[in-house]
Amino acid sequence: MTAPTTERTELIHGLYTEGEPIVDTKAPAGPIEQRWSKRKFEAALVNPANRRKLSVIIVGTGLAGGAAAATLGEAGYHVKSFCYQDSPRRAHSIAAQGGINAAKNYKEDGDSVFRLFYDTVKGGDYRSRESNVYRLAEVSANIIDQCVAQGVPFAREYGGLLDNRSFGGVQVSRTFYARGQTGQQLLIGAYQALERQVAAGTVEMFARHEMLELVVVDGKARGIIARDLVTGEVETHLADAVVLASGGYGNVFYLSTNAMGSNVTATWRAHRKGAYFGNPCYTQIHPTCIPVSGEHQSKLTLMSESLRNDGRIWVPKKAEDCEKDPREIPEEDRDYYLERIYPSFGNLVPRDIASRQAKNVCDEGRGVGPKVGDFRRGVYLDFTDALKRMSAEAVAEKYGNLLDMYQRITGENPYEVPMRIYPAVHYTMGGLWVDYDLQSSIPGLFVAGEANFSDHGANRLGASALMQGLADGYFVLPNTIRDYLAKGPFEALEESHPSVVEAKAAVDARVAKFLSINGDRSVDSFHKELGNIMWEYCGMERSEEGLLKAIDLIRGLRDEFWRNVKVLGAADTLNQSLEKAGRVADFLELGELMCIDALHRRESCGGHFRAESQTEDGEALRHDDEYAYVAAWEWGGDSGAPVLHKEDLVYEFVEMKQRSYK
Amino acid sequence: MNLTLKIWRQAGPRAQGEMVTYPVTDISEDMSFLEMLDVLNEQLNARGEEPIAFDSDCREGICGMCGLMISGQAHGPEVTTTCQLHMRSFKDGDEITVEPWRADAFPVIKDLVVDRSSFDRIIQAGGFISANTGSAPEAHSVPVPKPKADRSFMAAACIGCGACVAACPNASGMLFMGAKITHLGELPQGQPERDARVVSMVSTHDHEGFGGCTNVGACADACPKEIPLDVINQLNKDLRRALMHGE
Ligand SMILES: Cc1cc2nc3c(=O)[nH]c(=O)nc-3n(C[C@H](O)[C@H](O)[C@H](O)COP(=O)(O)OP(=O)(O)OC[C@H]3O[C@@H](n4cnc5c(N)ncnc54)[C@H](O)[C@@H]3O)c2cc1C
Ligand code: SF4
Ligand code: FES
């Protein structure tokens, strides 16, 4: 089957318009190994004596923002750092479990910068930029050195050297880890470096502050409007440049593995001010999460996919066995479907494939666990064989904390009963469009970490987000932003400048609006409904019909939100309902853009699976001739349609192939 | 199950607080404690009463943002964080009191939300290794013996939740601080600043209004990450050593 290319084009065109293509991404030309060195060399320098006079606002204290703030502080710039949690140490990077990739080749198993680059491009289903991905692979080794020097306690072998494991769909061992707490340990390293700069006076920390607007003056990003979440005061912060490192927007689905406060507000507000949004529909659904247990569910919990190294995934062959105790289902009645369909990768196929196959077997009526709607949504992840092969102690040593967590949440003992897992929204490859310098389409606005549309194309491989966050924060951004700052200090700016006043007034008005609607429905009820729409129509499988329906539903819901939401309490105090209202209002706009992006991309690639574009045996079918581009969306105004700018992806070093994991 | 909750309500930092009783019905045992509070908040909102403010973010026991005194126990009856406590730990008809962390160094902001920025200031005082970006040597140039690496890792598991302080009759922050001293002090990279670190952190700790340690051990019992009491011994040893060195 191939996608119908002309049918309904007109209708889709009503939903968006097309603008000028993006021709220059500022990546240097020449041999790929030399591009990053060349860019660093060409980037202008800033005299150390001038750095103190240059100020940078950094929104976010996760791996990307925390690392950038510490590094720019060390270099002597005046940094203002923001996070919505009570401490920068709590950014959601803390939750990453599995590990971080680096091309150290400590195992002598044939790894190299080029192989990491190659795997990442392939894993991203040929929808990322070669120059960026190569740079990522290149600086990966420096990240490990940096973290070890800071005291990050990575797992070590008996000889005292660092241990590695293989992770998520690759065949070399290049993943560094700290038991199931890699993200926590890396983040604490960055956090401590950040606090050291706070003590040194180079970084000013604003915790419990939420950015609600970007300040753009004469076409340049010059500050933010943030609400102090404790006092409710709406504050203006001005600077020479602004960095957004505010994380991903997976919470548009309501249920996801993200933290409760993860939001799109920082990037969405910038989008509305002119920053292009890249590939919003590329979302990653992670195959190994604990299934939904009921209506009350507030978030989903990831179980590291390292479990797939030793656990085997299966469902009953016959639907009538689905209610049985799994231990009573004999071997011959079990379908180890990943091992069956993908004999060479088996349970280790990439995330998008593992997730979609789980959905398929559940759609066939062979899911297990409680019914959610008409279907059981769960598959078994079984450690029985591993327990026989390795002993319970060895399993506990490797996976103990994950298995304990599972037991705590579900009340079931995974050493006795196979675990149940189901895919959940986990990561967003899309984000604000940036050039090679990580600069958005607004001069002076830089975007780092999961918040940018990043280096992962249409699908991210395991252990590569931590790598990208730290690469951006420690090594890339500090080098590229200096080229911009070297043009400063920029014109002094007063809070009374009309563009600044207007930005602040807009935030004040929005806060007042939320509190005055006084309707009948809670913010959460809108968020849940939006999440259901997104999951149903813009989740693991998308179709033209479904997406069109979703757009209508979202528009209706957004309309109702602004008429009927109920936010109690006051503006001048801690008010968590008010915080949520602002986030959900932005998700209601983002959701529509995600559906439009998914609708316009009539191919399947990575995490984006279009029902109309699949091979005969149901695998994703790309259309490189038509869609080998980044979709960068420009805000079209409250009543206008978004404008699509295409950035063509050129592959000079890797040959584009249909991915095959059979 | 049906439960009676007695929850601390306080409108703001300087406001007078009080315990307010809320019955909740039809609570499923698969809910987490915070999901149970979400349900209550939805009901309050529908009735036009302001929802109860409480902190949480990751809801998977790792960010350290949540933390409630549940019937007098920090994070409740299990060895875990409040967000990972599930309602199957309670039974029908239970009466549960819910209060914020109580400590001079953690002033209440609103309802169940407290200000723990004093912990950040303890870290600013020396809870780091000074290694500017780009200055690091090759990672394998300094091997770390596995027992030391493992002990460092064990201490680094602290999530900065503050339960140790809330559980301590003296509201001491020694377990939190000892965990950081041990994490960094076990590593070769942490040696150059070891003396200065402990002196400076301890002085900030005392200045922030945390109490002294009298070896009660309530902190380690409450710690969701099972940080052991011996990190406090380590801290005291390091402090004596530093003072001997003339720091
Ligand atoms: C459960 C889980 C497990 C994972 N495991 C792995 C893994 O094993 N390996 C891997 O490579 N990747 C993993 N990932 C992905 C990876 O952790 C993230 O992509 C990455 O950490 C994101 O880092 P970040 O710095 O971009 O953003 P975050 O760490 O999410 O930080 C966002 C920051 O922005 C701030 N912020 C957000 N909005 C605002 C606002 N409006 N105003 C002010 N501040 C704001 C927040 O306070 C926070 O400080 C995992 C992700 C999850 C959810
Ligand atoms: S030592 Fe334990 S109780 Fe204290 S802050 Fe750390 S994790 Fe929390
Ligand atoms: S909410 Fe993160 S530890 Fe409980």
Side-chain angles (χ1 to χ4, degrees):
Chain A
M1 257 193 288
T2 51
T5 39
T6 46
E7 266 170 63
R8 306 195 74 163
T9 307
E10 268 167 61
L11 193 121
I12 293 175
H13 274 185
L15 288 168
Y16 71 92
T17 61
E18 207 170 315
E20 291 293 305
I22 298 171
V23 277
D24 187 12
T25 65
K26 287 214 235 143
I32 200 154
E33 325 70 66
Q34 290 168 21
R35 290 182 182 177
W36 177 228
S37 303
K38 196 164 160 202
R39 181 69 195 114
K40 278 191 288 184
F41 180 73
E42 284 168 1
L45 298 175
V46 180
N47 181 328
N50 285 338
R51 293 183 194 161
R52 194 63 207 145
K53 295 178 214 144
L54 289 161
S55 55
V56 181
I57 284 172
I58 302 183
V59 180
T61 60
L63 292 184
T71 305
L72 291 174
E74 288 161 8
Y77 297 98
H78 176 196
V79 177
K80 284 180 160 189
S81 164
F82 293 79
C83 68
Y84 70 75
Q85 295 92 345
D86 70 331
S87 164
R89 67 177 293 150
R90 307 201 202 284
H92 199 50
S93 292
I94 200 120
Q97 302 170 349
I100 176 166
N101 286 332
K104 281 281 197 189
N105 193 27
Y106 282 159
K107 295 279 167 188
E108 274 296 318
D109 56 0
D111 201 10
S112 62
V113 169
F114 197 87
R115 190 178 299 280
L116 176 53
F117 157 69
Y118 177 89
D119 287 349
T120 308
V121 168
K122 176 185 171 200
D125 218 359
Y126 307 94
R127 290 293 175 266
S128 49
R129 280 188 203 141
E130 281 189 331
S131 301
N132 287 52
V133 178
Y134 194 90
R135 172 175 68 190
L136 179 64
E138 189 178 334
V139 303
S140 66
N142 305 76
I143 296 173
I144 302 304
D145 298 342
Q146 182 61 33
C147 295
V148 166
Q150 290 170 342
V152 171
F154 284 119
R156 287 179 184 267
E157 296 170 339
Y158 282 97
L161 298 178
L162 294 162
D163 192 19
N164 294 126
R165 60 182 174 201
S166 83
F167 199 77
V170 293
Q171 287 159 320
V172 291
S173 288
R174 62 160 76 102
T175 304
F176 293 76
Y177 66 101
R179 206 158 316 154
Q181 310 167 6
T182 316
Q184 182 194 10
Q185 297 310 333
L186 296 173
L187 184 66
I188 295 302
Y191 157 74
Q192 289 172 183
L194 174 68
E195 293 295 357
R196 174 174 163 244
Q197 292 310 306
V198 173
T202 60
V203 176
E204 264 182 278
M205 187 66 227
F206 297 86
R208 288 203 200 265
H209 273 68
E210 183 165 19
M211 166 183 168
L212 296 176
E213 194 54 271
L214 180 72
V215 175
V216 179
V217 177
D218 298 333
K220 293 195 184 83
R222 290 299 304 271
I224 63 169
I225 308 295
R227 184 167 174 271
D228 177 331
L229 300 180
V230 175
T231 64
E233 195 182 333
V234 175
E235 304 169 347
T236 302
H237 295 270
L238 301 175
D240 293 302
V242 177
V243 179
L244 301 184
S246 50
Y249 51 84
N251 273 358
V252 65
F253 290 87
Y254 185 71
L255 288 181
S256 82
T257 64
N258 285 3
M260 301 305 286
S262 297
N263 66 87
V264 76
T265 292
T267 51
W268 190 255
R269 293 283 122 194
H271 173 59
R272 292 179 55 109
K273 285 276 172 95
Y276 296 174
F277 212 108
N279 300 332
C281 82
Y282 289 166
T283 34
Q284 178 160 82
I285 317 274
H286 196 291
T288 52
C289 300
I290 300 177
V292 174
S293 72
E295 265 300 302
H296 55 267
Q297 194 97 24
S298 60
K299 76 153 281 167
L300 293 171
T301 303
L302 173 85
M303 304 272 288
S304 167
E305 74 187 322
S306 60
L307 291 168
R308 290 200 274 148
N309 286 338
D310 289 298
R312 296 179 69 197
I313 295 175
W314 63 276
V315 289
K317 281 187 181 155
K318 297 178 274 190
E320 60 269 26
D321 282 351
C322 290
E323 273 172 72
K324 278 195 188 154
D325 181 332
R327 290 167 294 187
E328 278 155 25
I329 302 175
E331 238 358 82
E332 63 274 15
D333 289 338
R334 299 177 175 192
D335 180 11
Y336 294 90
Y337 56 91
L338 291 176
E339 298 170 26
R340 170 172 59 80
I341 309 174
Y342 307 100
S344 65
F345 279 71
N347 293 300
L348 294 177
V349 289
R351 292 174 177 180
D352 51 335
I353 295 177
S355 291
R356 205 155 38 74
Q357 293 298 1
K359 175 180 189 299
N360 289 345
V361 293
C362 293
D363 286 349
E364 286 166 19
R366 294 193 290 141
V368 297
K371 275 194 174 163
V372 179
D374 294 337
F375 290 96
R376 292 173 206 284
R377 295 271 165 216
V379 301
Y380 291 122
L381 173 62
D382 195 340
F383 265 71
T384 313
D385 287 356
L387 285 163
K388 278 187 204 138
R389 186 164 38 104
M390 294 162 51
S391 86
E393 291 72 46
V395 169
E397 160 75 15
K398 244 172 140 174
Y399 304 110
N401 61 334
L402 296 169
L403 303 186
D404 291 350
M405 183 172 75
Y406 180 86
Q407 181 159 14
R408 180 165 298 292
I409 293 173
T410 62
E412 290 172 5
N413 181 352
Y415 294 91
E416 285 166 11
V417 193
M419 289 182 276
R420 285 175 295 111
I421 54 165
Y422 198 66
V425 174
H426 177 57
Y427 182 87
T428 50
M429 283 76 72
L432 288 187
W433 180 91
V434 287
D435 63 16
Y436 187 70
D437 282 357
L438 304 184
Q439 186 163 211
S440 72
S441 52
I442 301 176
L445 179 70
F446 292 76
V447 193
E450 192 173 339
N452 69 27
F453 87 104
S454 93
D455 305 345
H456 307 294
N459 173 54
R460 177 177 71 78
L461 289 180
S464 59
L466 300 180
M467 168 172 72
Q468 183 226 336
L470 289 179
D472 285 1
Y474 284 131
F475 298 107
V476 179
L477 184 94
N479 277 296
T480 56
I481 201 172
R482 93 178 127 79
D483 190 54
Y484 182 79
L485 291 171
K487 301 184 196 113
F490 300 96
E491 233 171 284
L493 186 60
E494 299 291 328
E495 286 193 16
S496 58
H497 186 287
S499 305
V500 183
V501 171
E502 192 194 308
K504 180 169 183 302
V507 171
D508 285 328
R510 218 163 113 97
V511 167
K513 174 76 185 167
F514 288 134
L515 291 169
S516 69
I517 297 171
N518 202 17
D520 308 319
R521 281 182 68 181
S522 69
V523 177
D524 279 357
S525 79
F526 283 100
H527 196 178
K528 277 186 195 176
E529 190 173 336
L530 173 66
N532 286 337
I533 298 170
M534 296 302 292
W535 183 237
E536 184 66 28
Y537 302 110
C538 199
M540 276 186 279
E541 185 171 316
R542 295 135 180 212
S543 70
E544 181 133 343
E545 196 191 339
L547 289 162
L548 287 169
K549 183 161 173 201
I551 292 169
D552 274 347
L553 291 171
I554 294 169
R555 287 180 175 175
L557 189 65
R558 193 165 63 220
D559 199 55
E560 191 194 339
F561 176 87
W562 286 104
R563 279 186 291 105
N564 197 24
V565 73
K566 179 172 186 171
V567 183
L568 299 172
D572 60 352
T573 154
L574 180 82
N575 186 339
Q576 294 171 330
S577 309
L578 181 62
E579 294 166 26
K580 286 195 262 187
R583 295 169 192 159
V584 172
D586 290 332
F587 282 137
L588 282 163
E589 293 180 4
L590 166 78
E592 179 175 332
L593 184 67
M594 289 172 71
C595 292
I596 293 175
D597 185 39
L599 192 56
H600 110 281
R601 190 170 283 276
R602 288 180 157 127
E603 65 162 350
S604 298
C605 57
H608 171 63
F609 189 83
R610 278 292 296 263
E612 301 90 342
S613 181
Q614 46 185 310
T615 62
E616 260 153 30
D617 42 7
E619 298 296 333
L621 183 64
R622 291 197 327 261
H623 295 289
D624 294 338
D625 44 341
E626 281 181 88
Y627 292 104
Y629 62 78
V630 175
W633 296 93
E634 182 185 349
W635 173 245
D638 277 310
S639 48
V643 185
L644 171 66
H645 299 272
K646 294 179 181 172
E647 176 205 323
D648 279 331
L649 292 166
V650 183
Y651 286 87
E652 296 172 77
F653 303 92
V654 179
E655 189 197 342
M656 296 170 98
K657 293 188 194 137
Q658 282 292 341
R659 276 188 320 169
S660 168
Y661 291 90
K662 294 224 159 162
Chain B
M1 64 183 104
N2 301 331
L3 305 162
T4 306
L5 302 172
K6 297 201 159 161
I7 301 183
W8 183 259
R9 301 293 317 249
Q10 179 174 337
R14 275 168 296 277
Q16 188 76 31
E18 56 170 344
M19 299 298 286
V20 179
T21 303
Y22 300 99
V24 287
T25 52
D26 279 338
I27 298 301
S28 131
E29 61 166 30
D30 287 331
M31 284 182 187
S32 69
F33 196 83
L34 297 183
E35 285 169 346
M36 185 267 299
L37 291 182
D38 290 341
V39 169
L40 171 60
N41 272 345
E42 282 289 287
Q43 290 167 1
L44 292 180
N45 197 70
R47 302 209 288 260
E49 288 176 48
E50 199 178 335
I52 300 153
F54 63 89
D55 266 334
S56 77
D57 203 32
C58 75
R59 294 210 177 178
E60 48 185 87
I62 196 75
C63 73
M65 184 99 172
C66 64
L68 299 174
M69 261 332 220
I70 300 170
S71 297
Q73 287 177 291
H75 290 307
E78 314 267 337
V79 182
T80 190
T81 55
T82 301
C83 62
Q84 288 291 290
L85 177 65
H86 281 69
M87 295 313 291
R88 65 180 75 87
S89 300
F90 299 90
K91 57 180 194 317
D92 189 42
D94 277 357
E95 182 181 294
I96 306 170
T97 61
V98 188
E99 291 173 89
W101 289 165
R102 304 260 185 215
D104 285 348
F106 292 164
V108 173
I109 294 175
K110 184 171 182 172
D111 296 340
L112 304 171
V113 176
V114 299
D115 177 354
R116 284 169 293 198
S117 54
S118 47
F119 266 9
D120 290 328
R121 289 188 291 274
I122 291 179
I123 299 298
Q124 283 159 30
F128 48 74
I129 289 171
S130 301
N132 280 3
T133 303
S135 64
E138 154 58 43
H140 265 180
S141 61
V142 188
V144 183
K146 192 161 161 62
K148 284 192 170 286
D150 286 350
R151 186 152 187 273
S152 170
F153 177 82
M154 168 283 292
C158 164
I159 56 173
C161 62
C164 45
V165 178
C168 173
N170 309 322
S172 169
M174 289 289 266
L175 194 70
F176 166 77
M177 203 165 36
K180 189 51 55 195
I181 294 289
T182 307
H183 161 206
L184 301 177
E186 283 291 352
L187 298 171
Q189 292 85 353
Q191 299 315 310
E193 293 164 297
R194 188 161 167 188
D195 290 350
R197 173 180 308 123
V198 66
V199 172
S200 171
M201 285 175 74
V202 168
S203 134
T204 303
H205 169 270
D206 297 352
H207 176 80
E208 288 287 344
F210 291 100
C213 174
T214 51
N215 280 317
V216 178
C219 53
D221 292 341
C223 175
K225 298 294 150 182
E226 301 180 69
I227 304 290
L229 264 187
D230 74 63
V231 300
I232 299 183
N233 300 338
Q234 177 83 57
L235 187 156
N236 286 327
K237 245 181 10 209
D238 277 24
L239 185 61
R240 279 196 300 276
R241 199 183 81 138
L243 295 176
M244 230 155 58
H245 291 173
E247 265 292 339

